[in-house]
């Protein structure tokens, strides 16, 4: 039996791609069920898209490619899919669109796949992948043959949900260039000299964070070992080891937004007794970044398979019939539904290319 397309992993991009393809389609996954990461996205509510989608919300070493990929899936397309299955959703700050229940979003994608007669194999251990003549041979304890192969394995974030570096290793096997990966949308650990801030664990406040030539606004949350919250998660997309993080704890030019507990902690640290004298310290707080909370806490992976390896259809230039979609690519979005959106967009790009050679 020869499949038209085999898709490796049943996450957001893999399911979307499978639901749009023609022919005999097989999706294989090492997990026991599909969409584990979808179920935890948005705290179980699934932030499925954003009304303000643009290339500016993404980081890539080939930023010029992002606009063209976003053309394959719009925010309206996401809304239409959600509405088709009568899934309730809401708009939140910054144009974020949240479904009421992530499980229903996953069920909608699976339903689309069932309508398309997609076959699934779960709990699969892929032992090897080779290309022989015009066919891909995937060894899962038995040989599976396919005309096309789509890598939708995601990145290294959320390893407890089955994430791995399989897609990166496969790209390396086929001699494709990789952009160095690191955890992203993740909390940042305190250096030793800032451990006093662990006393503020649980305190949140609005901030502006500057890193390189980027300024991020939003809430910062103090944690026991570091800082997190939306502003910090987005900052982690841009920061590299050795970069200076410039944090403005008074972005609205008033101490009223600084909780009393935080104010006292900083006053004690700087040995300042008058509130107005601590203002400049809070406005111009900075430190050198060392490390993050790592892949165990990261929402996504930055870096991945370079788009320089891939043509406009995300097919490997040197390996015909081999495609990459979703998080395994060197395209990473900010917090706000951008990563799920680009997963859907890249999936549709590949599906159209395969359906219309």
């Amino acid at each position: 039996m020869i499949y038209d397309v085999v898709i490796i992993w049943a996450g957001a991009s893999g399911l979307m791609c499978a639901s749009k393809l023609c022919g005999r389609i097989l999706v294989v996954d090492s997990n026991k069920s599909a969409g584990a990461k979808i179920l935890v996205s948005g705290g179980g509510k699934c932030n499925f898209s954003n009304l303000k989608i643009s290339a500016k919300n993404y980081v890539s070493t080939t930023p010029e490619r992002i606009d063209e990929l976003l053309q394959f899936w719009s925010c309206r397309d996401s809304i239409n899919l959600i509405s088709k299955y009568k899934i309730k959703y809401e708009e939140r700050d910054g144009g974020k669109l949240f479904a009421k229940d992530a499980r229903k979003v996953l069920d909608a994608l699976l339903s689309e796949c069932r309508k398309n007669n997609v076959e699934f194999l779960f709990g699969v251990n892929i032992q090897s992948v080779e290309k022989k003549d015009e066919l891909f041979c995937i060894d899962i304890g038995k040989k599976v043959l396919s005309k096309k192969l789509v890598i939708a394995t995601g990145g290294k974030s959320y390893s407890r949900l089955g994430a791995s570096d399989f897609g990166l290793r496969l790209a390396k096997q086929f001699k494709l260039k990789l952009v160095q990966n690191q955890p992203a949308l993740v909390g940042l650990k305190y250096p030793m000299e800032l451990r006093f801030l662990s006393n503020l664990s649980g305190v949140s406040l609005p901030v502006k964070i500057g890193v390189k030539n980027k300024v991020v606004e939003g809430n910062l949350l103090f944690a026991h070992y570091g800082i997190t919250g939306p502003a910090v998660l987005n900052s982690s997309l841009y920061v590299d080891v050795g970069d200076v993080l410039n944090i403005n704890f008074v972005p609205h030019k008033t101490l009223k937004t600084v909780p009393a507990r935080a104010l006292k902690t900083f006053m004690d640290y700087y040995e300042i007794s008058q509130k107005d004298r601590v203002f400049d310290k809070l406005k111009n707080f900075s430190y050198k970044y060392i490390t993050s909370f790592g892949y165990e806490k990261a929402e996504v992976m930055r870096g991945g398979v370079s788009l320089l390896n891939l043509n406009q259809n995300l097919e490997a230039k040197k390996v015909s019939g081999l495609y990459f979609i979703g998080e395994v690519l060197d395209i990473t979005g900010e917090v706000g539904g951008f990563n799920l959106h680009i997963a859907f967009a890249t999936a549709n790009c590949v599906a159209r290319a395969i359906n219309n050679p």
Side-chain angles (χ1 to χ4, degrees):
M1 176 61 63
I2 299 176
Y3 287 92
D4 292 297
V5 186
V6 168
I7 299 174
I8 298 182
W9 270 217
S13 61
L15 293 175
M16 175 61 77
C17 190
S19 74
K20 300 293 185 181
L21 286 166
C22 301
R24 187 158 193 190
I25 314 302
L26 173 67
V27 180
V28 299
D29 199 306
S30 61
N31 284 323
K32 294 180 180 179
S33 59
K37 198 168 177 181
I38 294 174
L39 294 177
V40 301
S41 65
K45 299 276 187 172
C46 190
N47 183 190
F48 62 88
S49 190
N50 195 296
L51 293 171
K52 301 178 181 179
I53 290 279
S54 81
K56 294 179 181 180
N57 302 115
Y58 295 91
V59 172
S60 173
T61 56
T62 51
E64 67 278 5
R65 296 284 300 274
I66 299 173
D67 267 328
E68 66 186 52
L69 290 170
L70 289 175
Q71 302 304 311
F72 288 96
W73 189 259
S74 68
C75 182
R76 174 49 57 185
D77 289 325
S78 288
I79 292 172
N80 288 344
L81 175 64
I82 295 298
S83 300
K84 178 179 177 180
Y85 287 89
K86 296 180 170 54
I87 301 171
K88 294 181 179 180
Y89 69 93
E90 64 181 0
E91 179 186 346
R92 297 188 188 175
D93 63 293
K96 303 182 187 77
L97 297 179
F98 281 81
K100 294 291 186 178
D101 187 346
R103 166 62 66 180
K104 291 184 177 180
V105 176
L106 174 57
D107 288 345
L109 289 169
L110 289 171
S111 180
E112 291 291 292
C113 286
R114 284 192 293 271
K115 290 177 183 178
N116 205 27
N117 298 312
V118 175
E119 298 178 42
F120 289 92
L121 281 176
F122 292 107
V124 166
N125 176 28
I126 299 178
Q127 298 173 20
S128 66
V129 176
E130 298 177 332
K131 189 175 186 189
K132 297 181 178 179
D133 298 321
E134 297 302 310
L135 294 176
F136 291 92
C137 180
I138 304 101
D139 187 347
I140 58 172
K142 64 178 181 179
K143 304 293 185 181
V144 175
L145 301 177
S146 181
K147 299 174 186 175
K148 309 284 187 184
L149 183 63
V150 179
I151 309 305
T153 52
K156 294 161 65 176
S157 60
Y158 281 116
S159 59
R160 67 184 183 278
L161 298 179
S164 74
D165 64 349
F166 180 87
L168 301 177
R169 287 187 280 114
L170 191 66
K172 191 173 182 179
Q173 173 191 323
F174 284 103
K175 303 187 185 322
L176 303 184
K177 179 183 177 182
L178 298 177
V179 176
Q180 183 176 2
N181 65 82
Q182 67 181 54
L185 303 191
V186 65
L188 307 179
K189 286 188 176 180
Y190 298 129
M192 285 299 296
E193 65 270 21
L194 297 185
R195 287 295 173 84
F196 76 95
L197 293 174
S198 63
N199 296 327
L200 295 177
S201 181
V203 173
S204 176
L205 73 168
V207 299
K208 284 184 180 179
I209 301 178
V211 55
K212 296 189 175 82
N213 61 347
K214 187 76 175 180
V215 176
V216 175
E217 296 185 55
N219 275 10
L220 175 150
L221 174 66
F222 292 101
H224 189 66
Y225 295 105
I227 50 176
T228 184
V232 175
L233 299 187
N234 280 335
S235 296
S236 72
L237 261 184
Y238 307 99
V239 70
D240 293 295
V241 174
D243 286 339
V244 174
L245 284 164
N246 298 293
I247 306 176
N248 179 359
F249 288 108
V250 284
H252 303 303
K253 301 179 180 179
T254 173
L255 289 174
K256 291 181 179 179
T257 59
V258 182
R261 183 173 153 201
L263 194 58
K264 184 178 186 308
T265 297
F266 280 106
M267 290 175 68
D268 289 347
Y269 175 72
Y270 289 115
E271 298 181 344
I272 294 174
S273 58
Q274 295 176 307
K275 291 181 181 181
D276 57 345
R277 291 182 58 200
V278 82
F279 182 89
D280 284 342
K281 300 287 188 182
L282 291 174
K283 186 174 180 62
N284 300 288
F285 188 86
S286 64
Y287 74 93
K288 188 173 288 188
Y289 167 69
I290 299 174
T291 188
S292 72
F293 289 176
Y295 277 116
E296 284 299 313
K297 298 292 185 181
E299 293 186 16
V300 293
M301 175 187 78
R302 191 180 100 186
V305 178
S306 171
L307 272 69
L308 294 175
N309 300 307
L310 312 177
N311 65 20
Q312 62 183 6
N313 299 322
L314 300 179
E315 179 182 18
K317 294 177 180 177
K318 296 180 180 179
V319 188
S320 63
L322 177 63
Y323 299 82
F324 292 82
I325 58 176
E327 190 184 339
V328 73
L329 294 169
D330 173 37
I331 308 174
T332 313
E334 297 176 343
V335 172
F338 300 108
N339 287 293
L340 199 55
H341 188 97
I342 199 68
F344 291 159
T346 54
N348 274 277
C349 171
V350 166
R352 292 189 193 185
I354 293 175
N355 289 342
N356 302 285

